[in-house]
């Protein structure tokens, strides 16, 4: 623990869960750095460790505890701060974990940096006092002050408490690197995301008013609320000046974006403003719920700055199961969205989430899901076996499915995914595509196309500067693992 605030005080952040949580961790890093702290990799020694947790499943809880324990073992005298969904759902349990000094729930995450500063000052002036890790200043539902527009939001926009991210259960087929459901399981992956300057996760909405029967998120996120269009535009303009090439609009229920200062406006209005008032080269939209999707939004994708990728969670192709899940769409509506997007946007990548073995799922229900997935030919399916989450309605439902049946159904979808994913990538061989370079790996540079193809780029000239964060063109030549190999085109 630092014995004085005047010396260099270091911190490290790690993230578990979804892209919204990653956006919050990026914000924490920015605000800590602005306050004079020096960021380190989570694998290195630091004076302060901040663990941004998830809790969507018991696996999220367990992973969060593992990262907390890892930080404590690395530097037992460091200030250990736990925030995020697990801290919001069960703060008392988190506070009893070895080494935990501060527990900051989602609803007060905006004051996290100030709380850390106060705690460090308290330890200097009264080192013998034993403070309660769950501070009274971090009570749930507290209204927080407006952050300046040049400040990265962690928690609130005005009196709205901006919570972090909704992690998802681990799929049976995690992507090697997924923009939308990159379930961080190691500090290395978390830090790679935090220190990247290629794209920025832009949290524009938080919370959820839905009550899907399998989901704990509304409990830890609160009601839906959105940032103003003006603040998002200003933030993106700052990121352009900082050299970012791509933004990813994220939210817990992104399609429910309606700014408080004009609730008649929606996500389409936000995107239109960003296209008109910023020069960010790429705008990517993260997961959208089918019930919110407006077909007229597809007109915006005529602009080449819009990334041709939609993540639309299907969850099931059975209307019976969708009703049991309390999803607010049916299979016909979902099919219309996907087929229309494919007709209007050539080369669009559509990925999805599917849950197998939901309580009451019959063989006929699953077959409807399988046939719908076969018909729609997704670029990528994230396949999840249902895992009951304590505190949700689905955990109490009758008709729980045996694990061997879940596994068999999952495997059928995984095999279908392999076939469709390969077919999707194969159609682009021989084409020239723009690639945003992210990293140097396995003796070559690699990055993403706008439609979610991961490309290993060969033949890039050696430069005095790094190719990272650069948009280049590549001829796509052959399939490679879950991506494509390409050759640099001048």
């Amino acid at each position: 623990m630092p014995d004085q605030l005047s010396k260099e005080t270091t911190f490290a952040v790690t993230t578990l869960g979804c892209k919204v949580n990653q956006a919050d961790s990026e914000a924490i890093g920015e605000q800590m750095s602005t306050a004079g702290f020096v960021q380190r990799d989570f694998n290195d020694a630091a004076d302060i460790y901040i663990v941004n947790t998830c809790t969507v499943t018991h696996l999220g809880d367990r992973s969060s505890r593992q990262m907390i324990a890892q930080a404590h073992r690395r530097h037992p005298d460091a200030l250990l701060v736990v925030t995020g969904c697990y801290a919001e759902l069960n703060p008392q349990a988190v506070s009893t974990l070895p080494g935990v000094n501060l527990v900051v729930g989602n609803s007060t995450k905006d004051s996290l940096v100030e709380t850390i500063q106060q705690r460090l000052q308290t330890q200097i002036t009264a080192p013998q006092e034993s403070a309660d890790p769950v501070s009274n200043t971090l009570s749930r539902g507290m209204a927080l002050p407006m952050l300046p527009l040049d400040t990265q939001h962690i928690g609130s926009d005005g009196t709205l408490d901006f919570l972090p991210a909704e992690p998802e259960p681990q799929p049976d087929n995690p992507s090697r690197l997924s923009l939308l459901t990159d379930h961080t399981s190691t500090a290395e992956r978390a830090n790679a995301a935090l220190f990247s300057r290629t794209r920025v996760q832009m949290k524009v909405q938080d919370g959820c008013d839905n009550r899907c029967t399998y989901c704990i998120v509304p409990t830890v996120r609160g009601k839906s609320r959105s940032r103003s269009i003006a603040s998002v535009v200003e933030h993106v303009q700052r990121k352009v000046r900082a050299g970012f090439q791509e933004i990813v609009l994220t939210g817990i229920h992104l399609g429910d974006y309606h700014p408080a200062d004009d609730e008649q406006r929606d996500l389409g209005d936000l995107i239109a403003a960003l296209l008109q008032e910023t020069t960010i080269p790429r705008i990517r939209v993260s997961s959208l719920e089918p019930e919110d999707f407006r077909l007229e939004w597809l007109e915006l994708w005529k602009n080449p700055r819009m990334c041709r990728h939609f993540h639309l969670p299907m969850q099931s192709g059975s209307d019976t199961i969708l009703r049991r899940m309390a999803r607010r769409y049916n299979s016909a509506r979902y099919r219309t969205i996907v087929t229309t997007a494919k007709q209007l946007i050539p080369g669009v990548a559509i990925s999805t989430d599917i849950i197998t073995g939901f309580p009451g799922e019959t063989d006929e229900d699953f077959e409807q899901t399988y046939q719908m997935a076969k018909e729609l030919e997704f670029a990528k399916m994230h396949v999840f076996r249902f895992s009951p989450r304590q505190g949700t309605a689905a955990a109490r439902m009758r008709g729980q499915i045996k694990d061997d049946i879940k596994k068999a159904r999952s495997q059928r979808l995984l095999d279908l995914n392999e076939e469709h994913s390969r077919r999707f990538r194969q159609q682009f061989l021989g084409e020239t595509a723009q690639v945003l370079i992210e990293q140097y790996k396995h003796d070559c540079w690699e990055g993403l196309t706008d439609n979610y193809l991961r490309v290993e780029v060969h033949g890039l000239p050696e430069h005095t500067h790094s190719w990272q964060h650069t948009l280049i063109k590549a001829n796509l030549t052959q399939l490679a693992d879950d991506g494509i190999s390409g050759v640099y085109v001048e």
Side-chain angles (χ1 to χ4, degrees):
M1 185 68 60
D3 55 3
Q4 56 181 11
L5 290 178
S6 59
K7 82 175 192 67
E8 179 180 276
T9 304
T10 59
F11 75 98
V13 186
T14 194
T15 314
L16 296 102
C18 71
K19 292 299 175 181
V20 185
N21 237 18
Q22 291 186 19
D24 283 330
S25 291
E26 291 175 6
I28 290 169
E30 282 192 19
Q31 290 197 5
M32 289 287 287
S33 297
T34 299
F37 299 96
V38 178
Q39 188 161 10
R40 294 285 184 259
D41 189 280
F42 194 78
N43 291 314
D44 298 336
D47 300 309
I48 305 165
Y49 289 103
I50 303 170
V51 181
N52 196 0
T53 62
C54 86
T55 191
V56 163
T57 69
H58 66 283
L59 295 177
D61 293 352
R62 184 174 67 187
S63 297
S64 296
R65 291 192 295 269
Q66 289 172 344
M67 296 306 292
I68 293 165
Q70 184 183 124
H72 181 53
R73 286 195 303 270
R74 182 173 297 117
H75 192 173
D77 293 329
L79 182 72
L80 181 51
V81 183
V82 181
T83 189
C85 290
Y86 187 32
E88 177 77 13
L89 184 68
N90 203 345
Q92 294 299 333
V94 172
S95 69
T96 64
L97 296 175
V100 173
N101 302 109
L102 280 175
V103 180
V104 181
N106 284 332
S107 52
T108 49
K109 189 176 281 187
D110 250 352
S111 60
L112 183 144
V113 177
E114 180 183 6
T115 302
I116 290 173
Q117 291 173 317
Q118 292 173 349
R119 182 58 181 265
L120 292 176
Q121 188 63 49
T122 299
Q123 290 183 338
I124 293 172
T125 58
Q128 299 304 316
E129 291 186 13
S130 177
D132 182 354
V134 187
S135 170
N136 291 331
T137 64
L138 305 180
S139 58
R140 194 180 298 226
M142 171 181 170
L144 298 173
M146 174 74 80
L147 289 176
L149 285 180
D150 61 351
T151 301
Q152 164 86 317
H153 285 237
I154 303 172
S156 69
D157 196 44
T159 58
L160 300 179
D161 44 333
F162 247 74
L163 314 179
E166 153 238 24
E168 300 175 22
Q170 181 70 33
D172 288 345
N173 58 330
S175 298
R176 183 160 59 99
L177 182 59
S178 168
L179 283 177
L180 304 176
T181 50
D182 183 20
H183 309 278
T184 304
S185 57
T186 66
E188 290 84 355
R189 291 172 67 188
N191 279 291
L194 284 179
F195 286 110
S196 171
R197 308 298 290 183
T198 303
R199 63 178 52 83
V200 61
Q201 308 296 328
M202 178 72 65
K203 184 175 71 173
V204 301
Q205 183 278 339
D206 208 341
C208 184
D209 296 334
N210 289 353
R211 288 295 183 269
C212 297
T213 56
Y214 54 84
C215 184
I216 197 70
V217 167
T219 303
V220 295
R221 293 294 179 180
K223 294 182 178 181
S224 179
R225 54 224 179 272
S226 306
R227 292 179 65 175
S228 67
I229 289 178
S231 70
V232 176
V233 168
E234 194 280 339
H235 197 173
V236 172
Q237 289 170 339
R238 286 198 301 117
K239 294 303 180 181
V240 171
R241 292 193 294 270
F244 283 90
Q245 301 288 336
E246 180 179 312
I247 60 163
V248 184
L249 299 178
T250 66
I252 295 304
H253 190 173
L254 180 61
D256 193 36
Y257 175 85
H258 296 285
D261 58 350
D262 188 355
E263 293 187 353
Q264 297 303 309
R265 306 185 78 182
D266 62 17
L267 182 63
D269 296 304
L270 173 62
I271 293 172
L274 292 173
L275 288 171
Q276 183 175 350
E277 300 178 39
T278 78
T279 57
I280 190 78
R282 282 185 176 183
I283 300 173
R284 191 179 297 275
V285 175
S286 65
S287 184
L288 290 171
E289 294 298 330
E291 70 263 25
D292 305 313
F293 199 100
R294 300 180 62 176
L295 295 179
E296 56 263 37
W297 290 348
L298 295 173
E299 290 294 313
L300 295 164
W301 268 258
K302 290 181 178 178
N303 191 309
R305 292 163 60 197
M306 295 300 300
C307 292
R308 297 169 297 162
H309 176 220
F310 296 105
H311 186 77
L312 300 168
M314 183 174 86
Q315 307 302 10
S316 176
S318 162
D319 289 339
T320 299
I321 296 301
L322 289 174
R323 286 192 295 270
R324 288 177 66 84
M325 291 177 169
R327 303 288 284 175
R328 299 195 297 178
Y329 57 90
N330 57 28
S331 57
R333 169 65 177 166
Y334 188 90
R335 181 182 286 106
T336 297
I337 295 170
V338 173
T339 55
T340 305
K342 287 187 175 184
Q343 289 169 2
L344 296 181
I345 308 172
V348 67
I350 299 178
S351 56
T352 195
D353 297 334
I354 296 178
I355 298 174
T356 66
F358 190 83
E361 183 185 64
T362 64
D363 289 341
E364 181 182 357
D365 291 324
F366 173 72
E367 193 61 32
Q368 290 173 4
T369 298
Y370 182 86
Q371 292 301 326
M372 189 165 173
K374 185 176 182 180
E375 171 193 348
L376 296 180
E377 291 198 27
F378 296 104
K380 173 70 176 179
M381 289 190 289
H382 298 276
V383 182
F384 302 83
R385 281 177 266 175
F386 173 75
S387 174
R389 185 63 171 101
Q390 185 177 0
T392 64
R396 304 187 298 271
M397 286 182 177
R398 295 181 179 180
Q400 299 289 328
I401 307 299
K402 294 181 179 179
D403 287 343
D404 59 338
I405 296 176
K406 293 180 191 176
K407 185 175 182 180
R409 291 174 179 173
S410 174
Q411 189 58 53
R412 284 190 66 193
L413 288 172
L414 292 175
D415 293 342
L416 184 65
N417 175 67
E418 285 297 313
E419 175 187 343
H420 287 176
S421 175
R422 182 180 181 87
R423 188 180 301 167
F424 176 76
R425 289 177 284 131
Q426 203 157 20
Q427 68 180 301
F428 300 102
L429 295 182
E431 294 187 4
T432 297
Q434 191 179 64
V435 180
L436 178 56
I437 300 297
E438 296 178 342
Q439 61 182 336
Y440 190 79
K441 193 173 182 180
H442 303 313
D443 298 323
C444 70
W445 290 97
E446 66 173 42
L448 279 180
T449 64
D450 75 296
N451 62 339
Y452 206 54
L453 297 172
R454 179 154 295 281
V455 182
E456 298 175 352
V457 182
H458 301 272
L460 276 171
E462 290 191 8
H463 252 229
T464 55
H465 67 274
S466 171
W467 284 97
Q468 195 172 19
H469 323 314
T470 304
L471 283 165
I472 61 97
K473 289 184 178 180
N475 181 255
L476 309 180
T477 56
Q478 62 183 18
L479 300 184
D481 295 328
D482 61 350
I484 293 181
S485 285
V487 178
Y488 172 67
V489 176
E490 295 188 37

